[in-house]
Amino acid sequence: MTKEKVKKKWASTRKLLEITDSEYNGVTQEAANLRFIKTKLQIAVYYLQMLDEHDSEYQVPWNKEQFKWALRKPVGDKKKQQAKEWCHQCRLMRDKACATWNYEEVKTA
């Protein structure tokens, strides 16, 4: 896939994962937990985008309902752990696929 197609594919997910000003400035434990979850999921989406750019086969480690659950309040340790695991799974998928990617630079005339 081209980078433009990949960006379009993941645009709505990235929008959901944007950290709002109120979340960023929040001083409660729940605000900190939500920032942590969104950050981990942003990283996971980045890895999945890389896989898409290289046309790699993969399976997203969450479904739509699990994803919504992770972002729903109240946000506690169980959701933090789940986001951390998803991020790790995505990194492992990227690392495994990365060995087969061709990184040759495009030659210009």
Side-chain angles (χ1 to χ4, degrees), residues 1-9 53:
M1 270 185 177
T2 64
K3 285 190 177 195
E4 292 78 28
K5 287 182 182 178
V6 171
K7 282 185 179 184
K8 285 180 185 178
K9 176 181 176 181
E53 287 175 14

Side-chain angles (χ1 to χ4, degrees), residues 79-94:
K79 291 180 180 181
K80 282 177 56 179
Q81 183 61 34
Q82 188 63 60
K84 187 177 174 182
E85 287 176 19
W86 288 339
C87 183
H88 183 67
Q89 289 171 6
C90 290
R91 184 182 63 81
L92 291 176
M93 286 188 293
R94 192 272 326 252

